Amino acid sequence: MPTELSRREFSWVLGGPQGGGINASAEIYAKALSHGGLHVFANIEFHSNIMGKHSYYRVTAAPVPVHSHIDEIHMLVALDQESLFGDAPERKHYPSHTGHVHQVARGGGVIYDADLKIDPGRFGRDDINLYPIPFFEVLEEALKEVGKGGQSRKYIVMRNTVALGASIGISGYDEELLFDAIRNEFKGRKAEAAEMNVAAVRAAAAYARSQFKTKPERRLLPVPVESRKDRMLIKGFQAVGIAKLKAGLGMQTYYPISPATDESVYLEQKGPQYQCTVVQCEDEIASINMAIGAAHMGVRAATSTAGPGFALMSEGFGFAAITEAPGPVVFLWQRGGPSTGLPTRTEQADLQFALHPAHGDFPHIVVAPGDIDESFTDSFESFNWADRYQMPVVVLLEKFLASSMFSNDGIDMSKLKIDRGLIHQPVDADGDGYRRHAITADGISPRTIPGMPGGIFSTTSDEHDPEGHITEGIENRIAMMRKRMAKLETAAREIPASSKFTLHGPRQADMTLVAWGATKGAIVDAMSELENDGRSVNFLQIRLMRPFPADAVAAILRNARLTVLIENNYSAQLGALISEQTGIALDHHVLKYDGRPFSRNEIVEGVRSALSEQKKEVMVSHA
């Protein structure tokens, strides 16, 4: 039975060679839909080479909230043949993909370049509508209108805009909204480019309307003007970057690595306005150690990386913990591993790595937000935790969240306040009795900032006494280990439950889904579809991985009638953590580890398959 979302959403895909301008076109299209009052979710998949390989951008929109994509495509727009049929003819063994024609919904449409001269029989579908458009010819006509006739070879990349215009013409969406989006994108010195693109859209839309009378079964219209609400379109790396600046970030260090680099580049652009210094270091070892030094100097510090870079930060991470630095906060953007693995694909396989990043026993916090709002809130609070508990913090995110675009009604910042933690208040400015690593009941010793009278201290990566002097004394070692680890208990006590986990849906349900991170969107959207099977459904989303909210999670799971774990990795890493912390093994696992995010269909089919076939573990892969 269709849900309100599945009845009203529209799935549009633009595919083409990397470097063909699909990003720009798709994002302008997404903004035009958003300006028309629609909820929008958009995600991109691209190969890790620089140019040429197949990439595609999927934009899903609806007049009701949408947080995920579906497998079906209502309109496919292809800039090349590979987007239609895949690369099997060139790669007979293990082709990279099989194209997208087979994903087009019955009654859907396919727009492609007529110059490819594809025999319609090759599509093998008589239930879809084909719209061959002579991209080059239409572009030439558009350029004539703006006084640039005969230059279509020079502006060949604008085939992407022709494809976009054809899509608008066939689907019947408001062209003016698209023109506004284009002009907002190309301002100032780029205004001429804006008018060229507007002309290309207008020419392509007119051609499509004049040549094709049959429309796709499903089309998308703007929301009536009086019902439209202003929303922003935002990507995960932007939400994190803004949160960092709002939290008072003073130094960001990084070494370029996909998918973390986008966040640092964003901060390089915005940081100077907020007195934030961004340093591209020579490697990840320098990145974390420079950030630790900044944290000791009283500056809020962060570094951003992906799995291979985090592997190089191990020793530095332990150094931050034993010296009780107030940070840094490490933003770990997950991609497919191991080693270089799948550099531009997504995965949730670094959870256990984030929990055990260095040798020995040491305290640190790990938090894993699941959407834009949580990315903002958790990123902001992670700096408060680093200061308050004087330990490194890992914010665990995915490539999928970094590069996906979400509609957002606005982030509530009213409850977010900067807390720099316990600062030493000297009674006697000339005294020398300050102990940076003083033994305290909650494990937290007052820290000082540079220039504070009486605040001089020593610290070292060797075991040290309360004054920071190296010692291997037995009693001191025991006391220092207990002091440092006590901070985790303090954090567990003080961090509010709202930052630890969320139970979506009814408190008691026939089936409880359990997951973490950015699978949240697909699960939230899938819940109503799963309820159509006659079961009530709720969803336990876990955010705080260390210190783990074991008692609360155990209480929910012991009450659950049936549990299904959903994770974007091979080994069910959250399931292992839950089992370790609570002794509870979840009933079923639905896993995906092909480097792509869960579609909503995969969530629904995976859960149904696990239950109907009574399987402990189901692997899904529709991509």
Side-chain angles (χ1 to χ4, degrees), residues 112-115 132-139 162 207 211-212:
Y112 62 99
D113 192 347
D115 292 339
I133 305 277
F135 288 174
F136 196 77
E137 180 185 322
V138 172
L139 175 60
V162 173
Y207 182 92
Q211 297 295 315
F212 305 106

Side-chain angles (χ1 to χ4, degrees), residues 293-315:
H296 272 302
M297 291 300 101
V299 173
R300 285 199 153 178
T303 186
S304 294
T305 191
F310 193 52
L312 295 173
M313 295 182 177
S314 295
E315 187 178 5

Side-chain angles (χ1 to χ4, degrees), residues 367-440:
V367 64
D371 60 17
I372 291 294
D373 293 88
E374 292 168 4
S375 295
F376 189 95
T377 304
D378 291 350
S379 297
F380 186 99
E381 290 291 358
S382 65
F383 289 96
N384 287 341
W385 298 338
D387 274 343
R388 197 183 300 150
Y389 307 117
Q390 299 173 32
M391 63 173 79
V393 178
V394 177
V395 182
L396 196 53
L397 306 124
E398 298 104 317
K399 174 266 169 187
F400 171 63
L401 186 59
S403 60
S404 296
M405 185 179 278
F406 301 80
S407 287
N408 189 279
D409 287 338
I411 297 166
D412 181 9
M413 293 187 259
S414 61
K415 295 178 183 172
L416 297 177
K417 302 203 181 314
I418 292 175
D419 175 6
R420 297 305 311 264
L422 192 59
I423 305 291
H424 174 56
Q425 302 296 327
V427 176
D428 177 4
D430 297 326
D432 60 357
Y434 174 59
R435 294 184 169 191
R436 172 65 186 89
H437 302 287
I439 303 292
T440 60

Side-chain angles (χ1 to χ4, degrees), residues 87-401:
D87 62 354
E90 293 78 35
R91 298 184 55 144
K92 291 188 171 55
H93 303 290
Y94 298 106
S96 299
H97 66 107
T98 54
H100 301 287
V101 168
H102 69 283
Q103 295 175 310
V104 177
R106 181 185 293 273
V110 180
I111 295 170
Y112 62 99
D113 192 347
D115 292 339
L116 294 173
K117 302 191 183 312
I118 300 171
D119 179 353
R122 188 177 174 194
F123 287 85
R125 302 277 304 267
D126 58 7
D127 59 341
I128 59 176
N129 302 292
L130 302 181
Y131 303 105
I133 305 277
F135 288 174
F136 196 77
E137 180 185 322
V138 172
L139 175 60
E140 182 60 37
E141 287 301 313
L143 291 174
K144 282 181 188 172
E145 286 187 19
V146 292
K148 293 185 178 293
Q151 300 183 50
S152 45
R153 288 289 173 198
K154 179 180 176 183
Y155 296 105
I156 191 69
V157 72
M158 285 179 59
R159 292 165 70 252
N160 61 352
T161 310
V162 173
L164 184 55
S167 175
I168 290 290
I170 289 169
S171 66
Y173 195 74
D174 186 345
E175 283 179 26
E176 291 299 327
L177 288 169
L178 187 58
F179 297 159
D180 290 344
I182 290 172
R183 289 177 176 129
N184 278 333
E185 197 69 20
F186 299 96
K187 291 179 178 175
R189 289 181 297 176
K190 297 180 179 176
E192 183 186 25
E195 294 314 310
M196 289 167 58
N197 280 276
V198 166
V201 167
R202 188 177 285 123
Y207 182 92
R209 280 194 297 267
S210 67
Q211 297 295 315
F212 305 106
K213 302 305 177 193
T214 305
K215 304 295 183 189
E217 281 185 12
R218 185 172 298 205
R219 287 180 287 160
L220 198 59
L221 296 175
V223 170
V225 174
E226 62 275 13
S227 303
R228 290 179 194 170
K229 183 177 179 182
D230 286 337
R231 298 188 182 91
M232 61 179 170
L233 274 177
I234 186 168
K235 295 180 181 178
F237 78 82
Q238 293 169 324
V240 167
I242 296 168
K244 285 179 162 184
L245 296 175
K246 288 287 184 185
L249 179 70
M251 174 172 274
Q252 164 98 352
T253 62
Y254 78 105
Y255 183 74
I257 188 168
S258 176
T261 306
D262 285 348
E263 186 218 306
S264 293
V265 171
Y266 180 79
L267 286 171
E268 283 176 337
Q269 296 166 350
K270 306 289 184 186
Q273 304 167 49
Y274 297 86
Q275 291 77 53
C276 173
T277 300
V278 182
V279 180
Q280 181 179 326
C281 303
E282 64 267 38
D283 56 35
E284 285 86 352
I285 298 171
S287 295
I288 191 163
N289 285 310
M290 192 179 289
I292 294 167
H296 272 302
M297 291 300 101
V299 173
R300 285 199 153 178
T303 186
S304 294
T305 191
F310 193 52
L312 295 173
M313 295 182 177
S314 295
E315 187 178 5
F317 203 89
F319 174 69
I322 197 170
T323 59
E324 303 188 65
V329 181
V330 180
F331 289 79
L332 176 53
W333 295 94
Q334 299 169 93
R335 65 188 206 181
S339 189
T340 308
L342 298 170
T344 58
R345 309 292 182 179
T346 199
E347 208 163 66
Q348 291 184 311
D350 290 342
L351 172 57
Q352 293 291 345
F353 184 23
L355 292 168
H356 309 286
H359 73 284
D361 288 320
F362 59 91
H364 72 295
I365 292 173
V366 181
V367 64
D371 60 17
I372 291 294
D373 293 88
E374 292 168 4
S375 295
F376 189 95
T377 304
D378 291 350
S379 297
F380 186 99
E381 290 291 358
S382 65
F383 289 96
N384 287 341
W385 298 338
D387 274 343
R388 197 183 300 150
Y389 307 117
Q390 299 173 32
M391 63 173 79
V393 178
V394 177
V395 182
L396 196 53
L397 306 124
E398 298 104 317
K399 174 266 169 187
F400 171 63
L401 186 59

Side-chain angles (χ1 to χ4, degrees), residues 334 346-352 396 398 513-520 523 539 542 545 564-579 586 588-594 596-598 602-603 607 617-620:
Q334 299 169 93
T346 199
E347 208 163 66
Q348 291 184 311
D350 290 342
L351 172 57
Q352 293 291 345
L396 196 53
E398 298 104 317
L513 308 178
V514 183
W516 62 287
T519 55
K520 174 184 177 181
I523 293 172
F539 163 36
I542 297 177
M545 302 299 180
V564 181
L565 176 76
I566 300 171
E567 288 196 68
N568 218 167
N569 61 53
Y570 176 85
S571 55
Q573 296 189 13
L574 175 63
L577 178 61
I578 290 172
S579 180
L586 302 183
H588 302 280
H589 297 172
V590 175
L591 306 176
K592 180 172 184 176
Y593 41 89
D594 60 9
R596 277 71 173 175
F598 276 101
E602 288 172 321
I603 298 288
V607 171
E617 186 169 304
V618 169
M619 189 278 290
V620 295

